[in-house]
Amino acid sequence: MPKKAILCVDDEEIILNSLRDQLQTRLGDRYIYEFAESAGEAMEVIEDLASEGTDILIIVSDWLMPDMKGDEFLIRIHRKFPGIVKVMLTGHADESAIRRVQEQADLHRCIFKPWTEEELIGTIISGLKKNE
Amino acid sequence: MKLNIMVVDDIHANLRLLSDILGAGDYTVRPVPDGNLALTAARSVPPDLILLDIMMPGMDGYEVCRYLKADARTADIPVIFVSAKDETIDKVRAFSAGGVDYITKPFQAEEVLARVRTHLSIRKLQHHLEEKNRELADALDQLKAAQHQIIHQEKMAALGQLVAGIAHEINTPLGAIRASAENISHATESSFDQIPKIFQKLSQQHQDDFFLFLREAVRNNPPLSSRETRNLRRVLKEELESRGIASAELLAGILANMGFGGDISRFVSLLKEKENTFIMQTAYTLFMQKSNSDNIVKAVERASKTVFALKSYVHYDPSGKMIRAKLSEGIDVVLTLYHNQLKKGIEVIAEYEDVPDILCYPDELNQVWTNLIHNAVYAMNGSGKLKIGISQDNDFAAVAISDSGSGIIPEIQEHIFDPFFTTKPAGEGSGLGLDIVRKIIERHRGRITVESRTGETTFKVFLPKQIVAESQTI
Ligand SMILES: Nc1ncnc2c1ncn2[C@@H]1O[C@H](COP(=O)(O)OP(=O)(O)O)[C@@H](O)[C@H]1O
């Protein structure tokens, strides 16, 4: 059975730290969780996982990041991997950026920081269902 | 309206004579026979001019004049002394008492009228001048108020641009705090179930190993980046596999998430237990309670740093006095607030030499740094190098802000400090930024220079290390 992964992209260490345990606690060992601090690193991870034969089911990405903004990143991902479910998790994003991801990257949902566990896990579960 | 002249003389014949002369000159004349009456009358209805006899019984003319000058209601009325034929006028006393002129008898009607006319017109001019001065002072006040308003609006606009970034800056730690708190709460509950089983399942030796391992795991391991964590996981997986430990991949994942970089060999026996994944999961649940608390502390520090920067940014000293402050502190405050816009792709290179604290208006200097950094970020269109240097230059502290942006073409360099000069599209620039920057620097008795070519624009601000405090506000 091929392994399935959830990838989180955020340039803030404190966010990745808390997400890692949140996902692990709530979703357990069913998935692999990967983390990247920038869009560039996320691209590498995606290539790596693809070459290992691991499917990425969902990407949860911040919007404001150093090298590439979340909207651009998710749109690029969508062109290459339209099947991956895309979620934005952000402290601030302008409306037009969100609209762009909705239109051009089939954004599943945008969640705002500070998020609640139910919101995030609920969004991920509904996203996974969409993928089945 | 006829001008009003008071004539003061104790001798009726003199009063009549002067009244006749002045009446013919088309003035309203108020004859008064003694000094006391003159003072009362002048205070209740101030005349335009007073002709004052010197030798009078009771209060003499000098004294009357001194009283007139001492009273705000009558101080401005010009007084011309009149001396009798047989007395010699003491000119020094007359002028020092406040008189503007004197007439000695015998006099000609024309002379009296000429002098009266002269002094009345001087008085009129003086009035006019005072009024103009008042108008000018009012206009100046209004200008100052308008300027304050504009400066305030600029400051608020700069702040507005920051607010969006600040929302992110505050919501990020809040998100981390909430998630970590929820993690701790779940972990605590899970521990209640897991811990008793650990005691049941493990031998005394392995229980000791277990806690030794935990202690090592929570010992402050340096935080790892996501990439380092992945590498560690790979290394650990190979090591565990080579030692013949089951579920190597899962265990390696847990160990890597703990950032466990220590020596595994001591724990091989524990890791070979049949329920090794349960054991490591239990260890991780305990570990999480510590690591998530640490995460919360970090997040709180982040948030308070932002709040502190915001507070310092709008720091305002109502006394309006200059205070001693570190230049680097103000710059760092602005950099903290700009963190979000900078991190998108701008490398900040700060080189601060030690310069003494300088007397300044810190919140105004913050506005200078904000405007210069804002312009630099704009010119680099979000990516490039922003260099900020503080150094000493003889009697000055120099702050240099350079960007690797588009540069300023020579044709417009001399205009960039002009109010309302902007090359930004409508709605983006007011053209007041650099005008305000220069005004603030001049208020600090400093100066600003600019050097620019494509790829390197440097604004350099020189502020005197010893400044003479100036109380005036712009
Ligand atoms: N670092 C810079 N690089 C390039 N051009 C600059 C820089 N700083 C200022 N300028 C130019 O100077 C003009 C005036 O700046 P300023 O007075 O701050 O007003 P505004 O920013 O509202 O346009 C800008 O429109 C821009 O053309």
Side-chain angles (χ1 to χ4, degrees), chain B residues 147-164:
Chain B
Q147 200 184 26
H148 257 302
Q149 178 74 12
I150 289 174
I151 290 175
H152 183 72
Q153 280 171 359
E154 256 292 297
K155 196 167 174 176
M156 284 300 136
L159 200 61
Q161 291 156 352
L162 293 177
V163 165

Side-chain angles (χ1 to χ4, degrees), chain B residues 154 161 371-380 386 401-409 412-413 415-425 428-437 450-453 456-459:
Chain B
E154 256 292 297
Q161 291 156 352
N371 283 335
L372 293 179
I373 290 173
H374 180 79
N375 282 344
V377 171
Y378 190 95
M380 291 188 282
L386 177 67
I401 297 183
S402 323
D403 65 72
S404 60
S406 50
I408 310 166
I409 52 168
I412 65 164
Q413 274 189 27
H415 296 298
I416 56 171
F417 291 99
D418 296 348
F420 306 113
F421 179 86
T422 180
T423 57
K424 295 174 187 170
E428 282 193 41
S430 63
L432 284 172
L434 288 176
D435 174 48
I436 289 170
V437 161
V450 58
E451 263 175 50
S452 180
R453 54 190 162 82
E456 179 150 355
T457 300
T458 305
F459 283 86

Side-chain angles (χ1 to χ4, degrees), chain B residues 242-275:
Chain B
S242 74
R243 289 178 186 275
I245 291 168
S247 310
E249 178 153 28
L250 209 127
L251 296 190
I254 296 174
L255 286 165
N257 286 351
M258 288 177 168
F260 192 91
D263 180 12
I264 284 282
S265 57
R266 280 174 298 161
F267 306 111
V268 168
S269 162
L270 176 69
L271 290 170
K272 283 193 167 167
E273 280 267 357
K274 191 158 82 2
E275 302 215 44

Side-chain angles (χ1 to χ4, degrees), chain B residues 204-272:
Chain B
Q204 187 59 48
Q205 180 57 48
H206 278 176
Q207 285 179 25
D208 291 348
D209 288 350
F210 178 83
F211 287 103
L212 190 69
F213 168 80
L214 256 183
R215 220 164 284 136
E216 186 139 326
V218 299
R219 196 180 299 145
N220 282 331
N221 293 314
L224 299 183
S225 69
S226 47
R227 196 174 265 132
E228 287 165 335
T229 308
R230 273 196 302 282
N231 288 337
L232 180 61
R233 189 173 65 201
R234 220 164 282 143
V235 172
L236 284 166
K237 185 181 164 220
E238 277 169 24
E239 181 165 2
L240 294 175
E241 276 170 350
S242 74
R243 289 178 186 275
I245 291 168
S247 310
E249 178 153 28
L250 209 127
L251 296 190
I254 296 174
L255 286 165
N257 286 351
M258 288 177 168
F260 192 91
D263 180 12
I264 284 282
S265 57
R266 280 174 298 161
F267 306 111
V268 168
S269 162
L270 176 69
L271 290 170
K272 283 193 167 167

